[in-house]
Amino acid sequence: VSGKREFDEDFFEELEEILVQGDVGVNTALELVDRLRDAVKEQKIKETERLYQVLEQSIVEMLGEDQPLNVGAKPSVIMVVGVNGAGKTTTIGKLAHQFKDQGKRVIIAAGDTFRAAAIDQLEVWANRVGTQIIKHQEGSDPAAVAFDAIQAARSRNADVVIIDTAGRLQNKTNLMKELQKVHRVINREDPAAPHEVLLVLDATTGQNAISQAKVFKEAVGVTGIALTKLDGTAKGGVVLGIANELKIPVKLIGVGEGVEDLRPFDAEEFARALFA
Amino acid sequence: GLAEKLQGTFQKLKGKGKLSEADVKKAMREVRLALLEADVNYKVVKDFVSKVQERAVGQEVLKSLTPAQQVIKIVNEELTNLMGGEQSKIKIASKPPTVIMLVGLQGAGKTTTAGKLANVLRKQGRRPLLVAGDIYRPAAIKQLQVLGEQLDLPVFSLGDKQSPVNIARAAVEHAKNHGNDMVIIDTAGRLHVDEELMQELSDIKENVEPDEILLVVDAMTGQDAVNVAQTFNEQLGLTGVILTKLDGDTRGGAALSVKAVTGCPIKYAGVGEKLDALEPFHPDRMAGRILG
Ligand SMILES: Nc1nc2c(ncn2[C@@H]2O[C@H](COP(=O)(O)OP(=O)(O)OP(=O)(O)O)[C@@H](O)[C@H]2O)c(=O)[nH]1
Ligand SMILES: Nc1nc2c(ncn2[C@@H]2O[C@H](COP(=O)(O)OP(=O)(O)OP(=O)(O)O)[C@@H](O)[C@H]2O)c(=O)[nH]1
Ligand SMILES: [Mg+2]
Ligand SMILES: [Mg+2]
């Protein structure tokens, strides 16, 4: 869509519709369109290509600078959290593979001791990727698994420990308390750990994602988001509201079910895709 | 929620005296916002609000002493009607076994729901057979087998080297020979835009002619719910929907979107991780939840 045109109210409403359909949320969409309307007036914008540039720029600004994972420490401890079915276990498999490719020694911890075959699932990934896995019996204390994994990381000279946790809905107070216990145990072992608390968020999720980010952040201090299933038709626009309100950066995106289907987040690409 | 917002809107409007049609149209903005915030699809909201507006500019609202309450009443009625009466009945085959196929996106809750559904059917006096049709996801077969053990219900599997079509056919044969009158086929999660995997579902359907093809949808799904439901419905012909993770605090507007775009009844609601956490879907309760 390029060329010159009068940007009337219908045009701005269409833009608002596209944003909302991308799960950006009504308030954030209105904020972006209002800013754009002002920019069009001030800068006397007459061409659609210029207008989309300005809009993409304000989206990129809202998302904040692209930030890498905090893996400077040795061992770096990454705790992976999120609601049921978001893609945590699969993302851990992909991430372990990525670190291995970088020549790092990785340990993954089967911290979901509850769900049927959760440990088996992570074990398949460990074998696929060629990393060590720390696991206990099904039904055991997830905090004990985390503790065990950090000890193993130290004694085996690992560079990264990635800790899987069971999916949980953020309104389940007792489950959020359990997660806090895992966090406490990790933190007691190393006051700088976990160095990264990755919230795994399904791109098909609607506005409830804001509440997910808020509650998980309050509970265990989320430092980054892995946005999964972007290979579908959902846009994941909820991360705009999350960046705006909670300042949590998106660090990774999942684009498929294979071991290579993990990429660093690119704000400009993401902004462009909202209008594709 | 919406009730309070409408009260506020109508207080301001009534302050000027008699309510006009234009005033009611202003109030519709609150309804629209509430539905969008609840994740109801943008286009579904447009159609729904214009329906509500048609009724709301009638005398029942304009002449009412409590116009806000009248509008809420209309919205609730329209929502409940749209989402359909309670119909959690599984369509039973004239000649057993009844074959049920669960389909949907990755992580929606199909495998867990398969176990829950088998549990419900057993309590209704049926003899269900669970079928491990996901040959792709790591430990998917094991997951269903563990659920089967927990329920003390049989799980049919040919391992992960046989095609899901072959597994489904063999399962139905097995059911006939072992007196299982219900067959519940768990399938792998897939994207509605994955042509190959969508074709696989069509192939399974062609081969075992399911009596029910149920789309399993995560209640927290956003605007994309419409695309997913529409595509699955066009390619397979759905007979129903199961909404999962309703024990969360999402408003669940996806329920309205899915129903509006497919016309399929939402038969069950998943309300927890345990195998007893499946209830019949209550459209009136859902309406209240969506409105917030
Ligand atoms: N298409 C697609 N599927 C994905 C992606 N990430 C994960 N999945 C799939 O989503 C489903 C759920 O993934 P899991 O890794 O089991 O999710 P989880 O968060 O660990 O689930 P729980 O432990 O049960 O809470 C699986 O079928 C994965 O293959 C992605 O980026 N794209
Ligand atoms: N709280 C809650 N969790 C649920 C519900 N239904 C399923 N889950 C959880 O959601 C996650 C995904 O469930 P699965 O049954 O593995 O989903 P799936 O659709 O089979 O996933 P794929 O096979 O990978 O596509 C698991 O952690 C389940 O325990 C529900 O109604 N409430
Ligand atoms: Mg998992
Ligand atoms: Mg499954």
Side-chain angles (χ1 to χ4, degrees), chain A residues 152-164:
Chain A
R154 286 177 177 152
S155 67
R156 300 178 205 178
N157 211 18
D159 298 296
V160 193
V161 190
I162 315 175
I163 300 175
D164 195 7

Side-chain angles (χ1 to χ4, degrees), chain A residues 83-86 88 112 114-115 121 167-169 172 257, chain B residues 104-113 116 134 137 140 143 147 186-190 216 243-248 269-273 277:
Chain A
V83 301
N84 307 71
K88 299 177 290 299
D112 181 352
F114 167 73
R115 205 208 69 211
Q121 183 185 4
R168 67 205 69 219
L169 300 181
K172 308 271 166 119
E257 303 189 70
Chain B
L105 294 181
Q106 291 90 345
K110 297 174 293 300
T111 305
T112 310
T113 301
K116 293 176 180 181
D134 181 351
R137 169 174 152 156
Q143 184 184 1
L147 297 184
D186 181 24
T187 66
R190 68 205 62 215
V216 178
L243 210 57
T244 61
K245 307 177 203 172
L246 274 169
D247 47 319
V271 292
E273 292 195 68

Side-chain angles (χ1 to χ4, degrees), chain A residues 99-118:
Chain A
F99 285 135
K100 268 213 84 192
D101 261 5
Q102 295 167 9
K104 300 199 176 182
R105 184 183 233 130
V106 187
I107 289 184
I108 58 186
D112 181 352
T113 57
F114 167 73
R115 205 208 69 211

Side-chain angles (χ1 to χ4, degrees), chain A residues 24-243:
Chain A
V24 166
V26 181
N27 295 334
T28 308
L30 288 176
E31 190 176 327
L32 283 170
V33 171
D34 284 346
R35 265 194 231 168
L36 189 64
R37 208 185 275 107
D38 293 343
V40 166
K41 263 217 201 91
E42 285 169 30
Q43 302 177 34
K44 306 214 192 321
I45 300 178
K46 291 268 180 282
E47 307 192 347
T48 46
E49 194 170 326
R50 175 70 192 134
L51 178 136
Y52 276 104
Q53 262 179 12
V54 172
L55 178 55
E56 279 171 23
Q57 196 45 42
S58 63
I59 291 173
V60 168
E61 272 169 40
M62 204 181 258
L63 288 167
E65 297 222 0
D66 285 344
Q67 293 191 32
L69 290 175
N70 302 325
V71 285
K74 179 166 171 129
S76 291
V77 181
I78 304 176
M79 188 180 169
V80 179
V81 303
V83 301
N84 307 71
K88 299 177 290 299
T89 306
T90 307
T91 300
I92 290 172
K94 298 172 181 176
L95 199 50
H97 172 73
Q98 211 164 79
F99 285 135
K100 268 213 84 192
D101 261 5
Q102 295 167 9
K104 300 199 176 182
R105 184 183 233 130
V106 187
I107 289 184
I108 58 186
D112 181 352
T113 57
F114 167 73
R115 205 208 69 211
I119 298 172
D120 300 81
Q121 183 185 4
L122 192 64
E123 207 156 10
V124 172
W125 278 104
N127 293 330
R128 216 176 250 188
V129 170
T131 62
Q132 297 179 14
I133 180 170
I134 297 296
K135 56 176 180 149
H136 289 191
Q137 291 262 22
E138 204 177 288
S140 52
D141 182 359
V145 180
F147 177 86
D148 208 1
I150 296 180
Q151 304 311 317
R154 286 177 177 152
S155 67
R156 300 178 205 178
N157 211 18
D159 298 296
V160 193
V161 190
I162 315 175
I163 300 175
D164 195 7
T165 63
R168 67 205 69 219
L169 300 181
Q170 70 275 21
N171 57 324
K172 308 271 166 119
T173 322
N174 56 329
L175 295 182
M176 294 309 289
K177 284 219 177 82
E178 174 191 84
L179 200 63
Q180 286 180 310
K181 179 174 172 214
V182 175
H183 187 272
R184 258 200 317 279
V185 165
I186 294 172
N187 192 247
R188 221 178 38 212
E189 280 312 296
D190 177 351
H195 304 87
E196 186 82 48
V197 177
L198 205 56
L199 174 67
V200 179
L201 185 56
D202 187 330
T204 66
T205 311
Q207 297 309 301
N208 192 253
I210 313 267
S211 147
Q212 286 176 27
K214 217 176 253 159
V215 176
F216 274 90
K217 179 174 182 187
E218 274 166 30
V220 290
V222 172
T223 57
I225 288 172
L227 186 62
T228 62
K229 309 179 198 172
L230 274 174
D231 46 320
T233 52
K235 307 280 176 158
V238 288
V239 300
L240 269 182
I242 294 176

Side-chain angles (χ1 to χ4, degrees), chain B residues 32-92:
Chain B
R32 179 175 166 272
L33 280 177
L35 294 174
L36 286 175
E37 282 170 357
D39 290 323
V40 181
N41 181 270
Y42 196 96
K43 297 208 164 72
V44 173
V45 171
K46 245 189 188 156
D47 293 342
F48 181 81
V49 170
S50 65
K51 251 200 229 106
V52 168
Q53 185 169 296
E54 257 176 64
R55 278 187 62 186
V57 294
Q59 293 310 307
E60 68 190 297
V61 173
L62 298 186
K63 297 263 170 145
S64 169
L65 290 174
T66 57
Q69 286 186 22
Q70 285 305 314
V71 172
I72 288 281
K73 180 163 160 292
I74 293 171
V75 174
N76 247 303
E77 284 176 9
E78 291 293 330
L79 264 182
T80 308
N81 286 335
L82 224 177
M83 282 194 290
E86 288 182 22
Q87 5 191 346
S88 64
K89 296 247 168 292
I90 293 290
K91 174 173 187 304
I92 304 298

